[in-house]
Amino acid sequence: MDKILSLIISVLAAAFIVWWFFGRRKAAAVVANESHGMQQIEITVDGGYQPQVIQLKAGVPAKLVFDRKDPSSCLEEVLLPDFGVAKSLPVGEKTTVEIKPDKPGQYKYTCGMQMFSGQVVVK
Ligand SMILES: [Cu+2]
């Protein structure tokens, strides 16, 4: 009986660890709104980026509107190296970054010191 119980507990623990490391990281992508040949999405900057994963359509110019609420200097700059963007984000303001997502793929965006990051999925 004890063996069955400990087996159940270790299976549950293993499942939890798998979920913790793999499941949790796959945050659902939020799809940008598209209208008039332009797509736009707002990203809240507050202790990280929310949504962390955004999805854009390839070939349509995109506006990423960063709404910085967090005064921490860590988040004062946002970098999108694949799109040649390095932009400072004033606190309490919305800063628009325009990119042209031409090639489908997964691109990273980070804070100036690369401690916080998010992902741009282009499909
Ligand atoms: Cu940082």
Side-chain angles (χ1 to χ4, degrees):
M1 196 62 200
D2 271 2
K3 274 187 181 171
I4 293 170
L5 194 67
S6 64
L7 182 71
I8 290 169
I9 290 171
S10 48
V11 166
L12 286 177
F16 177 77
I17 289 166
V18 168
W19 168 79
W20 184 265
F21 283 102
F22 301 104
R24 226 168 53 107
R25 291 212 182 147
K26 276 190 191 158
V30 177
V31 181
N33 295 315
E34 192 185 349
S35 70
H36 307 289
M38 192 84 202
Q39 48 190 338
Q40 183 165 330
I41 188 160
E42 199 168 303
I43 298 164
T44 302
V45 182
D46 194 1
Y49 300 106
Q50 194 60 41
Q52 209 184 1
V53 184
I54 61 167
Q55 187 179 314
L56 303 176
K57 200 172 175 183
V60 179
K63 281 185 181 172
L64 310 183
V65 182
F66 288 92
D67 184 5
R68 182 171 169 215
K69 296 189 167 151
D70 193 333
S72 145
S73 65
C74 180
L75 291 157
E76 69 190 359
E77 200 182 17
V78 67
L79 309 176
L80 288 100
D82 298 296
F83 300 97
V85 172
K87 195 129 181 163
S88 51
L89 310 172
V91 183
E93 283 181 35
K94 290 183 180 179
T95 308
T96 302
V97 169
E98 280 195 52
I99 60 171
K100 279 193 174 175
D102 292 327
K103 268 194 209 157
Q106 297 184 350
Y107 307 94
K108 219 174 156 188
Y109 66 91
T110 67
C111 71
M113 289 160 277
Q114 304 187 3
M115 283 173 294
F116 290 104
S117 68
Q119 196 181 44
V120 179
V121 178
V122 179
K123 279 192 176 167

